[in-house]
Amino acid sequence: MHSYNISYHLNIMNSLNTINMTSSSSTSFFAYFNPNGLSTSLFLLPDIQMMEIFLALVVFISIHSLRQGKKQGLPNWPLVGMLPSLILGLRKDMYEWISDVLCRMNGTFTFRGPWLTNLNCVVTSDPRNIEYLLKTKFSNFPKGDYFRSTVRDLLGDGIFSADDEIWQKQRKTASIEFHSANFRNMTTDSLLELVHSRLLPVLEDSIKQLIPIDLQDVLLRLTFDNVCMIAFGVDPGCLHPGLPEIPFANAFESATEATILRFVTPTLVWKTMRCLGLGTERTLKHSLKKVDEFADEVIKTRKKELSLASSEDSKKRSDLLTVFMGLRDEQGRPFSGKILRDICVNFILAGRDTSSVALSWFFWLLNRNPEVEERILAEICKILNEREDAIKESPLIFKPKEIKQMEYLQAALSEALRLYPSVPVDHKEVVEDDVFPDGTVLKKGTKVVYAIYTMGRMEGIWGKDCREYKPERWLRDGRYMSESAYRFTAFNGGPRLCLGKDFAYYQMKFVAASILYRYNVKVVEGHPVTPKMALTMYLKYGLQVKLSRRT
């Protein structure tokens, strides 16, 4: 080894001497390079020495990029930026990967994508920044063109992706309807019907057959039937006995999964894939066809019903679709079929996925924390014992006032949402140059991603036990106390605060109490539990459980 090094240095010295002897005294070493751009001395170097130079260059670049990673959060490589780290994160648990980076970077870092792509963005989980973009400077942080163009095929101009006047009109209309007495009565009545006539019989059937059941699938069916009944006045029958296959439900889940992948793919790449019908874009195209067919059929059926009904009957209908069909645009024309389709799809996303996904994680957490389940049951029994009929009613049906009294149950559900928010990340775009409260400089057009999942895992917000499932953190003197929407952002915050928050809590509490009072729910041993990367945080492999009746 030593003799080779000596020989190597002698070769270099000889080359340099040759250069010096054949060049004028005023000519430098670098001037020896010929017009073709290659030094004659380089041709004299053995192949192994060229390899050493190449490896040394690679090592230098690697060390430099890794050192940058300590300052910037992730290694920033030439040409490809931080993309290699992102690809590794996608192969594991994307949300934990983001959380690890953000916690190391005190809540904010800038992701730098490959050159000539639009994957650059600021990622934050700092509550000060969240409040700033959701409330303080709300107008400077809309969803933006990038978000709308990425999700337009699925969500169109619906309430989730729209900005400005389109968003304001939809929100105002929905807000008025959500707060009407007729709508509230319809939601509670339809939920009671679905739980007792469909959900409980399906669970009972799994006990009789001694087979596990995918609780996430069952809950998705429940909330899909529920949202269709209250938003569109139609009953798709997902939760009928035998659990019939519903093409729309599978297509909708596939479409949301394919859409979220666009956010981690350069726009030029996924648009090219869309044009050529390749990969996930091909899947998305086929899924959207089924989604559109369902929405179009719902709209067509409703229009036919309204044309046959009297004006008085039409006014009595309280579903959202009927209300939107009665609206007019600035030119006095009714909303187009495209706008009505977008409204349908957005409200399905809001009403179907969020509550069912949250309940799925809730039951999984209860399985790991039986002491929490015991406290919930104790609270339910205490409330029931205060009844005048002393639980003689059969079948037992929880009353709205009893659901409201279940404060520990609400704390347990909130704690599940803190750790596993139904929407794990959200997106904004900067309209004008700005600066976050933590000092992060934001240029016009910058994309901002706020990581709701990570916020539940930050010691600075929730303390050193932030990763533990502790419903008690939501209680003050035994009473449930809500948190700031900028620390607990599961229902968003500011002007975009979720309109259905109160109904979502009622729905989750009613379903959870109705199941827990009757059944022991045990997750099948060895069942893999990991989040799926989609617009909402499904359990990737569902939630296989075994049920048994409580004595």
Side-chain angles (χ1 to χ4, degrees), residues 180-190:
S180 71
N182 286 342
F183 188 82
R184 287 199 300 269
N185 291 335
M186 183 177 66
T187 56
T188 54
D189 291 346
S190 64

Side-chain angles (χ1 to χ4, degrees), residues 361-373 420 467 469 521-523 529:
W361 287 106
F362 165 75
F363 278 105
W364 177 72
L365 286 165
L366 285 191
N367 195 74
R368 295 165 59 91
N369 298 271
E371 70 283 357
V372 175
E373 184 176 356
Y420 297 98
R467 286 182 172 268
Y469 181 61
V521 182
K522 298 299 177 186
V523 178
V529 173

Side-chain angles (χ1 to χ4, degrees), residues 124-132 455 458 460-461 486-487:
T124 187
S125 58
D126 189 320
R128 297 170 298 171
N129 297 344
I130 305 299
E131 183 172 5
Y132 190 76
M455 294 177 73
M458 294 186 68
I461 302 177
Y486 314 108
R487 287 161 52 91

Side-chain angles (χ1 to χ4, degrees), residues 125-401:
S125 58
D126 189 320
R128 297 170 298 171
N129 297 344
I130 305 299
E131 183 172 5
Y132 190 76
L133 67 89
L134 291 183
K135 186 181 77 170
T136 310
K137 292 290 286 291
F138 172 76
S139 60
N140 199 38
F141 297 95
K143 288 290 187 178
D145 292 336
Y146 172 76
F147 182 87
R148 285 197 300 277
S149 64
T150 304
V151 303
R152 178 167 281 124
D153 289 339
L154 175 62
L155 300 181
D157 292 315
I159 196 168
F160 268 146
S161 58
D163 282 319
D164 305 323
E165 291 182 11
I166 297 176
W167 167 75
Q168 289 173 4
K169 189 165 187 175
Q170 290 185 44
R171 184 176 176 88
K172 182 179 179 181
T173 302
S175 179
I176 293 171
E177 189 63 19
F178 268 58
H179 291 95
S180 71
N182 286 342
F183 188 82
R184 287 199 300 269
N185 291 335
M186 183 177 66
T187 56
T188 54
D189 291 346
S190 64
L191 181 60
L192 188 152
E193 168 74 16
L194 286 169
V195 168
H196 285 272
S197 299
R198 299 188 192 179
L199 174 64
L200 296 179
V202 165
L203 300 182
E204 191 67 26
D205 191 52
S206 75
I207 295 175
K208 291 176 181 177
Q209 296 185 39
L210 300 175
I211 57 173
I213 192 168
D214 183 352
L215 189 58
Q216 177 176 256
D217 176 60
V218 170
L219 292 170
L220 280 165
R221 290 169 178 271
L222 169 74
T223 53
F224 181 51
D225 282 356
N226 199 198
V227 72
C228 286
M229 290 167 72
I230 65 178
F232 319 129
V234 298
D235 180 5
C238 278
L239 205 53
H240 280 320
L243 302 180
E245 190 72 19
I246 306 296
F248 169 84
N250 296 331
F252 190 75
E253 188 172 332
S254 297
T256 62
E257 184 179 1
T259 298
I260 201 68
L261 286 174
R262 288 180 170 183
F263 286 97
V264 293
T265 307
T267 302
L268 181 62
V269 173
W270 70 253
K271 284 189 174 181
T272 302
M273 290 172 63
R274 183 176 64 179
C275 289
L276 299 175
L278 300 175
T280 55
E281 289 299 315
R282 182 183 179 186
T283 303
L284 179 60
K285 182 179 179 180
H286 290 308
S287 299
L288 287 173
K289 186 178 179 182
K290 291 185 175 68
V291 170
D292 292 344
E293 285 173 356
F294 175 82
D296 291 343
E297 183 61 31
V298 167
I299 295 166
K300 181 181 176 182
T301 302
R302 175 49 35 79
K303 284 183 176 179
K304 185 176 180 180
E305 290 174 353
L306 291 176
S307 66
L308 297 174
S310 65
S311 59
E312 196 62 35
D313 290 337
S314 299
K315 290 178 182 178
K316 290 180 181 179
R317 298 198 70 114
S318 296
D319 60 273
L320 286 168
L321 182 57
T322 301
V323 172
F324 277 104
M325 281 183 170
L327 295 180
R328 296 291 182 268
D329 61 18
E330 290 75 11
Q331 285 75 41
R333 297 171 301 189
F335 281 173
S336 67
K338 171 65 170 61
I339 291 292
L340 293 174
R341 175 266 179 209
D342 296 344
I343 290 169
C344 285
V345 172
N346 278 255
F347 278 104
I348 289 172
L349 179 64
R352 170 187 180 258
D353 290 16
T354 50
S355 295
S356 54
V357 166
L359 280 168
S360 300
W361 287 106
F362 165 75
F363 278 105
W364 177 72
L365 286 165
L366 285 191
N367 195 74
R368 295 165 59 91
N369 298 271
E371 70 283 357
V372 175
E373 184 176 356
E374 290 175 10
R375 283 201 61 178
I376 292 172
L377 287 168
E379 179 181 65
I380 292 173
C381 290
K382 180 182 177 183
I383 290 169
L384 290 176
N385 286 334
E386 294 173 357
R387 280 187 172 190
E388 292 181 2
D389 57 9
I391 328 177
K392 292 177 182 178
E393 178 187 19
S394 182
L396 184 139
I397 298 175
F398 293 108
K399 300 170 184 175
K401 68 175 183 179

Side-chain angles (χ1 to χ4, degrees), residues 474-495:
W474 295 86
L475 301 174
R476 303 289 185 276
D477 299 323
R479 301 295 303 274
Y480 174 81
M481 296 293 290
S482 59
E483 265 289 354
S484 162
Y486 314 108
R487 287 161 52 91
F488 175 62
T489 320
F491 293 96
N492 219 314

